[in-house]
Amino acid sequence: MNAPVDDRLTALRGSAQRRAYNARSLAALENNPRCTLRALLDASGSDKAAIAEHAGYPSAFGQSTFALARGNAFEALVKANGYAELLRVLRETLGLTVPEVGNRDLNDVGGDSRQEIRHTHTTRLLVKAAQGSGDSTLYDHPMLRLTVGGYAVFLEPDLVAFRADDRFYIVEIKSFPIIDGQADPVQVKSATTQACAYVIALRDMLRQAGIDPEAAVSDQIVLVAPKDFTNRPTAAFVDARKQVAALTRQLARLERIKDLVELLPEGLTFDLAPDGGQAQRPVEELTDALDQVDATYRPDCLNHCEMAFYCRARAREDASLDILGPEAREQFGGVDTATMVMGLARGELTPTADQSEMAIALRHAARLRAELDQAYRGAA
Ligand code: SF4
């Protein structure tokens, strides 16, 4: 990244310590790709939770301690006794050809758990395996790396890069249940999107070693989760092709963060002006700064972004149709706010050429609604 852009992002973040991307924040890029505010907050390493809290909209985002404990317990169970349960589901449920399993624990290298050291060690082992001379099948907690917006981001898959039939698979272990072969689609999407960041990072590592990345790393994610209402694991393949492609596009967009930065007003900052650990910046000044950047709120922001309550309030204030979600938003093509919708429906607003068809539909809907109201009143 070039220096002026870097300086500009540092100024946006202000005095706060830089927050690194992780698989969860990378996955969020794919969830709301049009949001400039999120792109800038993440690229500048700003602390979104602290900003939202100081703006008066603390985030309810993040996993509960109960969910974390449940997730850790399930992961331990799947890995117990030399990965016995994991191997069973990979063989029985997915029919993968799993030969004798050699396992590599990459949590540290001879007691050294620094990210750079672990990454170098991971690279050496995984490249060797991809070249066909590795001695292992399971690589537990490999340390991967991606360059995102000019910064190195270390990513650590929950479990495993797993090698079967000459390909690596990323395995995601999650504690939400698969009931009668179905899991909650929102949770599956979130788990898969995180795994996509690992697929991209692993492919990147192998590409740099001259290995065909698409052939070497599957874009089928292996999801391991509790079966029905038991603690017994089951597994499913999740096709992540589209999500890998979408996240790759978003990462490329971050490389072009320069274009977004250039549109910002001079001197814009999200600094909280802390003193003695307490944010001192006047709240109005902070919200004025945030309001100067486009945010495309949608209901599922509540699942993946710390700024969601702030952006929802802002969308409501602007009477933005974003609040209804992208599907409903698209139905109103060319009409941006609830105020415009009502104005066109009541015939109080002259439609532009682009809005004329929508205006006819809205007036028709308003007439039907009025007739129904009248009929209802007559019958009452
Ligand atoms: S909550 Fe706000 S900042 Fe976050 S992705 Fe949604 S619109 Fe963008």
Side-chain angles (χ1 to χ4, degrees), residues 28 31-32 34-39 41 48 294-298 300-302 304-312:
N31 284 307
N32 193 348
R34 290 190 306 129
C35 184
T36 305
L37 181 58
R38 167 122 207 175
L41 286 167
K48 296 190 291 297
D294 283 342
T296 47
Y297 177 79
R298 35 197 268 180
D300 67 352
C301 287
L302 292 166
H304 62 76
C305 185
E306 293 88 338
M307 298 296 293
F309 290 144
Y310 161 78
C311 293
R312 184 175 63 178

mmCIF file of all heavy atoms in Angstrom, residues 28 31-32 34-39 41 48 294-298 300-302 304-312, ligand 1:
data_model
loop_
_atom_site.group_PDB
_atom_site.id
_atom_site.type_symbol
_atom_site.label_atom_id
_atom_site.label_comp_id
_atom_site.label_asym_id
_atom_site.label_seq_id
_atom_site.Cartn_x
_atom_site.Cartn_y
_atom_site.Cartn_z
ATOM 1 N N ALA A 28 -16.886 -11.068 7.236
ATOM 2 C CA ALA A 28 -17.907 -10.009 7.240
ATOM 3 C C ALA A 28 -17.849 -9.174 5.964
ATOM 4 O O ALA A 28 -18.853 -8.615 5.532
ATOM 5 C CB ALA A 28 -17.725 -9.123 8.465
ATOM 6 N N ASN A 31 -20.194 -10.486 3.604
ATOM 7 C CA ASN A 31 -21.603 -10.351 3.967
ATOM 8 C C ASN A 31 -22.200 -9.023 3.525
ATOM 9 O O ASN A 31 -23.383 -8.934 3.257
ATOM 10 C CB ASN A 31 -21.772 -10.499 5.484
ATOM 11 C CG ASN A 31 -21.662 -11.943 5.900
ATOM 12 O OD1 ASN A 31 -22.354 -12.794 5.368
ATOM 13 N ND2 ASN A 31 -20.764 -12.236 6.818
ATOM 14 N N ASN A 32 -21.405 -7.977 3.515
ATOM 15 C CA ASN A 32 -21.949 -6.683 3.096
ATOM 16 C C ASN A 32 -20.914 -5.970 2.231
ATOM 17 O O ASN A 32 -20.301 -4.991 2.643
ATOM 18 C CB ASN A 32 -22.318 -5.833 4.325
ATOM 19 C CG ASN A 32 -23.160 -4.642 3.933
ATOM 20 O OD1 ASN A 32 -23.283 -4.317 2.750
ATOM 21 N ND2 ASN A 32 -23.753 -3.974 4.911
ATOM 22 N N ARG A 34 -20.949 -3.944 -0.197
ATOM 23 C CA ARG A 34 -21.077 -2.567 -0.692
ATOM 24 C C ARG A 34 -20.788 -1.529 0.385
ATOM 25 O O ARG A 34 -20.832 -0.338 0.114
ATOM 26 C CB ARG A 34 -22.502 -2.344 -1.230
ATOM 27 C CG ARG A 34 -22.811 -3.082 -2.529
ATOM 28 C CD ARG A 34 -24.133 -2.619 -3.111
ATOM 29 N NE ARG A 34 -25.221 -2.726 -2.170
ATOM 30 C CZ ARG A 34 -26.077 -1.747 -1.860
ATOM 31 N NH1 ARG A 34 -25.956 -0.568 -2.412
ATOM 32 N NH2 ARG A 34 -27.042 -1.943 -0.986
ATOM 33 N N CYS A 35 -20.526 -1.950 1.608
ATOM 34 C CA CYS A 35 -20.451 -0.958 2.687
ATOM 35 C C CYS A 35 -19.083 -0.284 2.762
ATOM 36 O O CYS A 35 -18.081 -0.899 3.129
ATOM 37 C CB CYS A 35 -20.769 -1.622 4.024
ATOM 38 S SG CYS A 35 -20.793 -0.405 5.335
ATOM 39 N N THR A 36 -19.065 1.001 2.450
ATOM 40 C CA THR A 36 -17.808 1.757 2.489
ATOM 41 C C THR A 36 -17.346 1.974 3.922
ATOM 42 O O THR A 36 -16.152 1.909 4.221
ATOM 43 C CB THR A 36 -18.011 3.123 1.804
ATOM 44 O OG1 THR A 36 -18.516 2.896 0.497
ATOM 45 C CG2 THR A 36 -16.731 3.908 1.716
ATOM 46 N N LEU A 37 -18.307 2.223 4.816
ATOM 47 C CA LEU A 37 -17.919 2.485 6.209
ATOM 48 C C LEU A 37 -17.177 1.288 6.788
ATOM 49 O O LEU A 37 -16.109 1.424 7.377
ATOM 50 C CB LEU A 37 -19.175 2.810 7.046
ATOM 51 C CG LEU A 37 -18.929 3.134 8.514
ATOM 52 C CD1 LEU A 37 -17.978 4.321 8.684
ATOM 53 C CD2 LEU A 37 -20.234 3.395 9.257
ATOM 54 N N ARG A 38 -17.735 0.128 6.592
ATOM 55 C CA ARG A 38 -17.088 -1.082 7.124
ATOM 56 C C ARG A 38 -15.705 -1.271 6.479
ATOM 57 O O ARG A 38 -14.735 -1.593 7.161
ATOM 58 C CB ARG A 38 -17.966 -2.304 6.856
ATOM 59 C CG ARG A 38 -17.262 -3.592 7.086
ATOM 60 C CD ARG A 38 -17.922 -4.461 8.095
ATOM 61 N NE ARG A 38 -16.920 -5.304 8.715
ATOM 62 C CZ ARG A 38 -17.159 -6.120 9.713
ATOM 63 N NH1 ARG A 38 -18.334 -6.176 10.227
ATOM 64 N NH2 ARG A 38 -16.212 -6.864 10.228
ATOM 65 N N ALA A 39 -15.639 -1.090 5.168
ATOM 66 C CA ALA A 39 -14.353 -1.284 4.473
ATOM 67 C C ALA A 39 -13.292 -0.350 5.062
ATOM 68 O O ALA A 39 -12.151 -0.763 5.296
ATOM 69 C CB ALA A 39 -14.526 -1.029 2.979
ATOM 70 N N LEU A 41 -13.352 1.242 8.100
ATOM 71 C CA LEU A 41 -13.064 0.951 9.511
ATOM 72 C C LEU A 41 -12.125 -0.248 9.619
ATOM 73 O O LEU A 41 -11.176 -0.241 10.409
ATOM 74 C CB LEU A 41 -14.375 0.661 10.262
ATOM 75 C CG LEU A 41 -15.252 1.886 10.558
ATOM 76 C CD1 LEU A 41 -16.641 1.448 11.016
ATOM 77 C CD2 LEU A 41 -14.618 2.772 11.616
ATOM 78 N N LYS A 48 -14.128 -1.061 16.011
ATOM 79 C CA LYS A 48 -15.547 -0.795 15.722
ATOM 80 C C LYS A 48 -16.403 -0.875 16.988
ATOM 81 O O LYS A 48 -17.313 -0.080 17.168
ATOM 82 C CB LYS A 48 -16.066 -1.784 14.665
ATOM 83 C CG LYS A 48 -15.378 -1.643 13.319
ATOM 84 C CD LYS A 48 -16.071 -2.446 12.245
ATOM 85 C CE LYS A 48 -15.925 -3.939 12.445
ATOM 86 N NZ LYS A 48 -14.537 -4.439 12.378
ATOM 87 N N ASP A 294 -20.486 6.604 3.532
ATOM 88 C CA ASP A 294 -21.651 5.796 3.154
ATOM 89 C C ASP A 294 -21.659 4.472 3.904
ATOM 90 O O ASP A 294 -20.638 3.785 3.975
ATOM 91 C CB ASP A 294 -21.614 5.457 1.646
ATOM 92 C CG ASP A 294 -22.028 6.647 0.826
ATOM 93 O OD1 ASP A 294 -22.647 7.574 1.393
ATOM 94 O OD2 ASP A 294 -21.726 6.652 -0.385
ATOM 95 N N ALA A 295 -22.825 4.126 4.441
ATOM 96 C CA ALA A 295 -23.005 2.805 5.070
ATOM 97 C C ALA A 295 -24.247 2.203 4.448
ATOM 98 O O ALA A 295 -25.263 2.872 4.318
ATOM 99 C CB ALA A 295 -23.180 2.955 6.575
ATOM 100 N N THR A 296 -24.156 0.953 4.059
ATOM 101 C CA THR A 296 -25.324 0.314 3.427
ATOM 102 C C THR A 296 -25.876 -0.715 4.402
ATOM 103 O O THR A 296 -25.588 -1.910 4.295
ATOM 104 C CB THR A 296 -24.918 -0.374 2.117
ATOM 105 O OG1 THR A 296 -23.739 -1.130 2.366
ATOM 106 C CG2 THR A 296 -24.657 0.627 1.019
ATOM 107 N N TYR A 297 -26.647 -0.214 5.352
ATOM 108 C CA TYR A 297 -27.189 -1.108 6.379
ATOM 109 C C TYR A 297 -28.123 -2.152 5.780
ATOM 110 O O TYR A 297 -28.887 -1.851 4.866
ATOM 111 C CB TYR A 297 -27.954 -0.298 7.437
ATOM 112 C CG TYR A 297 -28.581 -1.199 8.463
ATOM 113 C CD1 TYR A 297 -27.809 -1.731 9.485
ATOM 114 C CD2 TYR A 297 -29.915 -1.570 8.367
ATOM 115 C CE1 TYR A 297 -28.357 -2.612 10.406
ATOM 116 C CE2 TYR A 297 -30.478 -2.448 9.278
ATOM 117 C CZ TYR A 297 -29.691 -2.965 10.299
ATOM 118 O OH TYR A 297 -30.236 -3.840 11.189
ATOM 119 N N ARG A 298 -28.067 -3.351 6.285
ATOM 120 C CA ARG A 298 -29.047 -4.378 5.956
ATOM 121 C C ARG A 298 -29.258 -5.217 7.213
ATOM 122 O O ARG A 298 -28.363 -5.259 8.081
ATOM 123 C CB ARG A 298 -28.591 -5.231 4.770
ATOM 124 C CG ARG A 298 -27.100 -5.482 4.719
ATOM 125 C CD ARG A 298 -26.655 -5.953 3.396
ATOM 126 N NE ARG A 298 -26.667 -7.406 3.372
ATOM 127 C CZ ARG A 298 -26.316 -8.106 2.303
ATOM 128 N NH1 ARG A 298 -25.963 -7.488 1.194
ATOM 129 N NH2 ARG A 298 -26.339 -9.411 2.322
ATOM 130 N N ASP A 300 -29.009 -8.201 8.140
ATOM 131 C CA ASP A 300 -28.060 -9.197 8.647
ATOM 132 C C ASP A 300 -26.758 -8.577 9.157
ATOM 133 O O ASP A 300 -25.900 -9.289 9.666
ATOM 134 C CB ASP A 300 -27.814 -10.331 7.645
ATOM 135 C CG ASP A 300 -27.101 -9.873 6.396
ATOM 136 O OD1 ASP A 300 -26.918 -8.656 6.227
ATOM 137 O OD2 ASP A 300 -26.724 -10.744 5.592
ATOM 138 N N CYS A 301 -26.625 -7.248 9.058
ATOM 139 C CA CYS A 301 -25.487 -6.591 9.736
ATOM 140 C C CYS A 301 -25.511 -6.928 11.224
ATOM 141 O O CYS A 301 -24.465 -6.998 11.873
ATOM 142 C CB CYS A 301 -25.572 -5.068 9.590
ATOM 143 S SG CYS A 301 -25.182 -4.473 7.947
ATOM 144 N N LEU A 302 -26.730 -7.143 11.755
ATOM 145 C CA LEU A 302 -26.842 -7.446 13.188
ATOM 146 C C LEU A 302 -26.102 -8.730 13.547
ATOM 147 O O LEU A 302 -25.724 -8.939 14.689
ATOM 148 C CB LEU A 302 -28.323 -7.586 13.583
ATOM 149 C CG LEU A 302 -29.138 -6.279 13.513
ATOM 150 C CD1 LEU A 302 -30.623 -6.568 13.591
ATOM 151 C CD2 LEU A 302 -28.731 -5.330 14.629
ATOM 152 N N HIS A 304 -23.177 -9.690 12.061
ATOM 153 C CA HIS A 304 -21.738 -9.747 11.775
ATOM 154 C C HIS A 304 -20.977 -8.437 11.925
ATOM 155 O O HIS A 304 -19.787 -8.407 11.637
ATOM 156 C CB HIS A 304 -21.499 -10.314 10.370
ATOM 157 C CG HIS A 304 -22.093 -9.490 9.270
ATOM 158 N ND1 HIS A 304 -21.517 -8.320 8.853
ATOM 159 C CD2 HIS A 304 -23.199 -9.651 8.532
ATOM 160 C CE1 HIS A 304 -22.251 -7.815 7.888
ATOM 161 N NE2 HIS A 304 -23.281 -8.595 7.678
ATOM 162 N N CYS A 305 -21.626 -7.358 12.352
ATOM 163 C CA CYS A 305 -20.856 -6.112 12.441
ATOM 164 C C CYS A 305 -21.161 -5.369 13.740
ATOM 165 O O CYS A 305 -22.322 -5.188 14.111
ATOM 166 C CB CYS A 305 -21.152 -5.212 11.240
ATOM 167 S SG CYS A 305 -20.108 -3.740 11.237
ATOM 168 N N GLU A 306 -20.102 -4.925 14.386
ATOM 169 C CA GLU A 306 -20.231 -4.216 15.663
ATOM 170 C C GLU A 306 -20.953 -2.882 15.521
ATOM 171 O O GLU A 306 -21.448 -2.333 16.497
ATOM 172 C CB GLU A 306 -18.829 -3.950 16.262
ATOM 173 C CG GLU A 306 -18.077 -5.186 16.690
ATOM 174 C CD GLU A 306 -17.258 -5.802 15.551
ATOM 175 O OE1 GLU A 306 -17.566 -5.545 14.363
ATOM 176 O OE2 GLU A 306 -16.318 -6.550 15.852
ATOM 177 N N MET A 307 -21.004 -2.341 14.322
ATOM 178 C CA MET A 307 -21.620 -1.025 14.113
ATOM 179 C C MET A 307 -23.127 -1.117 13.864
ATOM 180 O O MET A 307 -23.789 -0.109 13.599
ATOM 181 C CB MET A 307 -20.983 -0.347 12.880
ATOM 182 C CG MET A 307 -19.513 -0.065 12.984
ATOM 183 S SD MET A 307 -19.138 1.103 14.286
ATOM 184 C CE MET A 307 -19.893 2.592 13.657
ATOM 185 N N ALA A 308 -23.683 -2.322 13.945
ATOM 186 C CA ALA A 308 -25.041 -2.542 13.423
ATOM 187 C C ALA A 308 -26.103 -1.646 14.054
ATOM 188 O O ALA A 308 -26.948 -1.095 13.347
ATOM 189 C CB ALA A 308 -25.416 -4.008 13.588
ATOM 190 N N PHE A 309 -26.080 -1.462 15.388
ATOM 191 C CA PHE A 309 -27.153 -0.660 16.015
ATOM 192 C C PHE A 309 -27.046 0.804 15.593
ATOM 193 O O PHE A 309 -28.047 1.478 15.386
ATOM 194 C CB PHE A 309 -27.105 -0.791 17.546
ATOM 195 C CG PHE A 309 -27.508 -2.163 18.021
ATOM 196 C CD1 PHE A 309 -26.893 -2.745 19.116
ATOM 197 C CD2 PHE A 309 -28.513 -2.881 17.377
ATOM 198 C CE1 PHE A 309 -27.258 -4.000 19.558
ATOM 199 C CE2 PHE A 309 -28.891 -4.153 17.809
ATOM 200 C CZ PHE A 309 -28.251 -4.708 18.899
ATOM 201 N N TYR A 310 -25.807 1.272 15.488
ATOM 202 C CA TYR A 310 -25.616 2.657 15.031
ATOM 203 C C TYR A 310 -26.143 2.810 13.597
ATOM 204 O O TYR A 310 -26.910 3.737 13.299
ATOM 205 C CB TYR A 310 -24.133 3.033 15.106
ATOM 206 C CG TYR A 310 -23.803 4.228 14.256
ATOM 207 C CD1 TYR A 310 -24.118 5.509 14.687
ATOM 208 C CD2 TYR A 310 -23.231 4.065 12.992
ATOM 209 C CE1 TYR A 310 -23.872 6.601 13.882
ATOM 210 C CE2 TYR A 310 -22.984 5.150 12.195
ATOM 211 C CZ TYR A 310 -23.300 6.413 12.639
ATOM 212 O OH TYR A 310 -23.070 7.485 11.839
ATOM 213 N N CYS A 311 -25.762 1.893 12.713
ATOM 214 C CA CYS A 311 -26.152 2.012 11.299
ATOM 215 C C CYS A 311 -27.659 1.818 11.127
ATOM 216 O O CYS A 311 -28.272 2.447 10.275
ATOM 217 C CB CYS A 311 -25.386 1.006 10.436
ATOM 218 S SG CYS A 311 -23.637 1.378 10.376
ATOM 219 N N ARG A 312 -28.250 0.970 11.959
ATOM 220 C CA ARG A 312 -29.701 0.780 11.856
ATOM 221 C C ARG A 312 -30.425 2.076 12.246
ATOM 222 O O ARG A 312 -31.358 2.509 11.566
ATOM 223 C CB ARG A 312 -30.156 -0.365 12.774
ATOM 224 C CG ARG A 312 -31.634 -0.672 12.623
ATOM 225 C CD ARG A 312 -32.058 -1.865 13.436
ATOM 226 N NE ARG A 312 -31.883 -1.643 14.868
ATOM 227 C CZ ARG A 312 -32.214 -2.523 15.804
ATOM 228 N NH1 ARG A 312 -32.718 -3.685 15.454
ATOM 229 N NH2 ARG A 312 -32.021 -2.270 17.087
HETATM 230 S S1 SF4 B 1 -23.351 -2.415 10.381
HETATM 231 FE FE1 SF4 B 1 -22.904 -0.534 9.301
HETATM 232 S S2 SF4 B 1 -20.695 -0.485 9.026
HETATM 233 FE FE2 SF4 B 1 -21.268 -2.573 9.530
HETATM 234 S S3 SF4 B 1 -21.523 -3.567 7.546
HETATM 235 FE FE3 SF4 B 1 -23.549 -2.891 8.214
HETATM 236 S S4 SF4 B 1 -23.809 -0.876 7.312
HETATM 237 FE FE4 SF4 B 1 -21.630 -1.366 7.178
#
